[in-house]
Amino acid sequence: MQLTVQDVLDYELLEGAVVRTAKERANAQPVHWVSVMEMPVENFVRRNELVLTTAMGCNNDLEIFRGFVQDIIDSGAAVLMIAMGRHVYEIPKEIAQLAEENEFLLVELPWELRFSTVIEEVMIDLNDLHRQERQRSEQVQQDLLKLILADAELEKIAAYIRRELDSALLITDAHGTVQAAAGFSRAKLEQWEQQVAKGIFPIHQTALKETRDPMIQKFSSGELGGRKLIQVPVLQVSEEAQGYLFVELPETADGRLDVFSVHVLEHAATTISLWRSRQNAVEETKAALRMDFVRELANGEFASKEQAASRARALGYDLELPYISLAGSPENFRHLFDRKKPGTSSYTEWSKSMVAYLEEEVHYAAHAMKRAVMTGYADGYLIIFLEKPPESGQENQINFLDLIERRLGNLLPEVVLSWGIGDHAEGFDGFSDSFRHAKTALDIGRKKKGPGHRMDYRDTRADRLLLQLAKTEGMLDIIQSTIQPLAGYDQQRQMDLIGTFSAYNHYQGNVSQTARALNLHRQSLLYRLRKIESLTGLSLIDPDDLFLLELCVRTYRMGAAEYDDI
């Protein structure tokens, strides 16, 4: 829908006009503006402008006239209409040849035709077209909003935009991953993925700066398969791009957008932003519901199996499958946050995004192994319920954690994670029992091995026995009275008597092996061993004393007093 030079030539008042050059272009050449122009032209003529002139400044000088016409051609004007009879009696053949070579329209007008009359007629039509475009643009805006309110899929929104623009298009996320496409062939989409992999798209440098329109200034342009693409950012409230709309320009568009297309793109970008905001809100709500469900399941907070099963079905979980629980703990989030460059996000927001990323990797690993999985995060623990097929053994959990850590080792190599592996327990109460065991294994593993390791609950039997013994009446007093002198001496003298005893006991009382392992002189080791005996009142050659000391040291190192639920 546009006004062309031919439409203007068809006006009754232009009955006496004569088209001298490029007549075949009259039907295709749009007219967006109209003006009267004499010398100098400079930058006063806009693209697709109908220019009226008397050429009075040319003074019948051929070279001046040629320069004037060349400037009009270079401006991108639609047509030059020259009033004949006062300053120009005949268009020189050199000027006509110049116009023909540039496929530019030159039109002769009768001198008596008033420019104001021509301008009035053209402006009436242009204003009418603008009104129709505005109404059409408003209709597009309303239709797009109706699609949002109707909860339409992004593919349907893309198809509507394509129909209005008559152009193929892509809707992508901020990284260029296609989320919806309309009019792109499979081969073109494969080509797109290759360009994204090379970093060519999305474009990070705005290219369309020749306009003062603030909307168009946000556009960028590139090429795909020999066709020009316009990149339109889908902005957040913070003015950061959360995605992009890529539109393929028609070959006849001369690399430019008309006013209606710009309006449609503006409405489309706003609509896609609203769609994303709604989807994000829905996903965040679902994620919160899933997290609450898994936390309640892990902590045994459901009143009945039926209540839990009803919630599970709504979230797409199947509680009838056999599950085994794993507990993960990010050990250095605070350290990594303090090291990162200052930004606007708080530690709470940053850690929430990190946990979400970890959960994505958990779901990826489960999908790769074709296992069902439920995840949540609470009280510093990443809660995982992983499907355990009946025929699988311990390798099910090991392979799962191996896959997660292998990917995280490449993507987030600085994150340190500790893991506790629970056991499978039958019945509905088995969920909370399995997670409690996983958490116990995680905590014991931290004490024994430090952060960044795994511990299976089945491998903690001796440790749990020691911790249970520590809770018996009087046992904790025995442990503390035995260990306290050694711990106090270690703190004062930095001698590590407790570590010395553990090494001595590990090498079954072999002084030479213990000295080599501790990198100590033999006499220094013997001095430490005598100090242990004097401080504890126990003999290292008495089996009963040796057993008691080993029991106290192992229990102390696991922090027996910290465990209330084994």
Side-chain angles (χ1 to χ4, degrees):
M1 185 168 56
Q2 61 182 4
L3 181 69
T4 67
V5 172
Q6 187 61 52
D7 293 330
V8 177
L9 292 171
D10 289 340
Y11 292 164
E12 185 177 347
L13 62 92
L14 289 181
E15 186 177 357
V18 177
V19 181
R20 283 292 309 275
T21 62
K23 186 174 183 178
E24 67 282 355
R25 285 187 53 82
N27 278 311
Q29 179 60 56
V31 174
H32 293 164
W33 323 93
V34 59
S35 68
V36 177
M37 177 58 57
E38 305 296 347
M39 293 182 63
V41 177
E42 297 182 350
N43 64 343
F44 295 113
V45 176
R46 290 168 287 191
R47 188 173 183 81
N48 295 326
E49 187 161 289
L50 186 154
V51 180
L52 300 164
T53 186
T54 64
M56 60 185 296
C58 297
N59 298 319
N60 293 318
D61 186 308
L62 179 60
E63 290 305 315
I64 294 177
F65 196 7
R66 184 196 300 272
F68 173 66
V69 174
Q70 185 67 60
D71 288 344
I72 296 293
I73 293 172
D74 292 342
S75 71
V79 60
L80 178 61
M81 294 185 170
I82 306 172
M84 310 295 291
R86 176 70 62 85
H87 303 287
V88 178
Y89 294 95
E90 182 182 4
I91 295 178
K93 63 180 181 180
E94 292 87 352
I95 302 300
Q97 183 178 353
L98 173 66
E100 285 288 4
E101 289 173 354
N102 288 274
E103 297 182 339
F104 181 71
L105 282 153
L106 284 180
V107 177
E108 296 176 351
L109 297 180
W111 177 261
E112 60 273 12
L113 180 62
R114 293 185 179 184
F115 285 175
S116 60
T117 306
V118 177
I119 292 172
E120 181 181 8
E121 289 296 319
V122 173
M123 289 306 300
I124 288 173
D125 282 349
L126 287 176
N127 288 333
D128 187 54
L129 285 172
H130 291 162
R131 178 183 57 78
Q132 293 179 46
E133 282 189 347
R134 186 169 59 253
Q135 291 176 343
R136 187 178 170 198
S137 173
E138 290 172 354
Q139 185 61 50
V140 168
Q141 185 181 37
Q142 292 175 12
D143 290 345
L144 287 170
L145 287 175
K146 287 177 182 177
L147 288 173
I148 288 290
L149 294 174
D151 202 18
E153 294 296 327
L154 199 55
E155 290 284 354
K156 189 171 183 179
I157 295 173
Y160 176 86
I161 299 169
R162 188 201 175 195
R163 285 196 301 273
E164 291 299 322
L165 294 175
D166 194 23
S167 300
L169 60 90
L170 296 174
I171 299 173
T172 76
D173 64 12
H175 305 292
T177 303
V178 176
Q179 296 181 318
F184 273 77
S185 65
R186 183 180 298 275
K188 206 75 173 282
L189 288 173
E190 290 176 357
Q191 191 176 6
W192 169 265
E193 292 175 359
Q194 293 170 4
Q195 298 282 62
V196 171
K198 293 177 181 178
I200 297 174
F201 290 104
I203 305 163
H204 297 293
Q205 185 173 2
T206 303
L208 304 181
K209 290 295 188 182
E210 70 273 12
T211 175
R212 294 183 180 180
D213 190 318
M215 181 63 189
I216 300 180
Q217 284 182 1
K218 295 175 182 176
F219 295 178
S220 300
S221 65
E223 282 193 7
L224 181 69
R227 297 288 294 277
K228 188 171 183 179
L229 285 184
I230 295 296
Q231 172 181 292
V232 183
V234 178
L235 301 176
Q236 298 174 318
V237 177
S238 63
E239 291 295 303
E240 293 182 3
Q242 58 176 321
Y244 298 97
L245 171 62
F246 292 89
V247 178
E248 187 177 76
L249 287 183
E251 292 180 322
T252 58
D254 194 24
R256 295 175 182 269
L257 296 166
D258 58 35
V259 175
F260 173 72
S261 296
V262 172
H263 289 165
V264 172
L265 291 176
E266 185 175 6
H267 298 325
T270 302
T271 301
I272 296 168
S273 179
L274 288 172
W275 186 90
R276 289 184 185 280
S277 297
R278 187 196 63 195
Q279 289 299 111
N280 290 340
V282 170
E283 291 302 319
E284 287 178 5
T285 300
K286 287 182 178 179
L289 290 173
R290 291 191 186 106
M291 187 168 290
D292 287 343
F293 173 80
V294 172
R295 176 184 54 77
E296 292 174 34
L297 193 65
N299 293 333
E301 297 177 10
F302 284 104
S304 66
K305 178 180 178 180
E306 289 71 24
Q307 181 191 23
S310 176
R311 287 264 301 276
R313 283 192 298 271
L315 296 171
Y317 293 146
D318 183 1
L319 296 187
E320 296 301 320
L321 296 173
Y323 290 93
I324 191 165
S325 182
L326 298 95
S329 175
E331 302 288 6
N332 60 337
F333 271 8
R334 173 58 72 175
H335 173 70
L336 293 178
F337 177 79
D338 292 340
R339 277 178 46 195
K340 80 181 188 72
K341 293 180 180 180
T344 55
S345 62
S346 64
Y347 173 72
T348 300
E349 291 299 317
W350 179 85
S351 60
K352 186 185 296 184
S353 65
M354 290 293 287
V355 169
Y357 189 87
L358 293 178
E359 287 191 295
E360 283 183 18
E361 292 305 314
V362 168
H363 283 276
Y364 174 87
H367 179 74
M369 293 180 60
K370 298 181 180 179
R371 303 282 190 267
V373 70
M374 300 183 289
T375 63
Y377 188 81
D379 302 324
Y381 292 102
L382 184 63
I383 307 168
I384 301 172
F385 287 105
L386 176 68
E387 179 189 359
K388 181 184 180 299
E391 70 280 2
S392 70
Q394 198 172 8
E395 71 278 359
N396 182 61
Q397 299 80 258
I398 294 174
N399 293 340
F400 177 72
L401 292 178
D402 283 346
L403 181 54
I404 292 174
E405 292 184 342
R406 188 160 56 247
R407 284 177 56 86
L408 289 177
N410 294 325
L411 300 171
L412 296 173
E414 294 183 313
V415 172
V416 176
L417 286 168
S418 300
W419 296 99
I421 303 172
D423 52 357
H424 171 66
E426 297 291 341
F428 178 65
D429 292 336
F431 288 101
S432 58
D433 291 341
S434 182
F435 176 68
R436 181 164 51 85
H437 293 167
K439 192 165 66 168
T440 297
L442 170 62
D443 293 346
I444 290 176
R446 274 173 168 168
K447 293 293 183 181
K448 291 187 69 175
K449 301 179 180 181
H453 292 87
R454 306 175 191 171
M455 179 64 76
D456 193 306
Y457 183 73
R458 288 173 293 184
D459 298 331
T460 63
R461 286 174 293 185
D463 303 297
R464 286 183 279 124
L465 177 61
L466 291 175
L467 292 171
Q468 289 289 2
L469 286 173
K471 295 180 188 298
T472 60
E473 186 177 356
M475 189 62 191
L476 191 57
D477 292 338
I478 294 173
I479 294 170
Q480 290 176 340
S481 63
T482 303
I483 293 298
Q484 188 57 45
L486 298 177
Y489 192 87
D490 284 348
Q491 188 174 6
Q492 291 177 0
R493 303 294 182 89
Q494 302 297 311
M495 192 170 283
D496 192 17
L497 294 180
I498 294 176
T500 300
F501 169 76
S502 294
Y504 175 76
N505 195 49
H506 175 76
Y507 290 106
Q508 299 178 346
N510 188 307
V511 174
S512 298
Q513 286 183 312
T514 305
R516 282 195 298 271
L518 296 177
N519 197 24
L520 289 174
H521 190 275
R522 181 183 177 88
Q523 292 302 319
S524 297
L525 174 61
L526 292 173
Y527 172 78
R528 289 189 181 188
L529 295 176
R530 288 194 295 270
K531 179 58 69 175
I532 291 172
E533 289 180 323
S534 66
L535 288 172
T536 60
L538 299 173
S539 171
L540 297 182
I541 61 173
D542 186 306
D544 291 339
D545 287 356
L546 194 64
F547 171 76
L548 176 60
L549 190 53
E550 180 187 5
L551 176 65
C552 292
V553 167
R554 287 187 61 177
T555 309
Y556 166 78
R557 282 194 149 182
M558 286 186 294
E562 300 176 12
Y563 290 86
D564 298 321
D565 186 16
I566 303 300

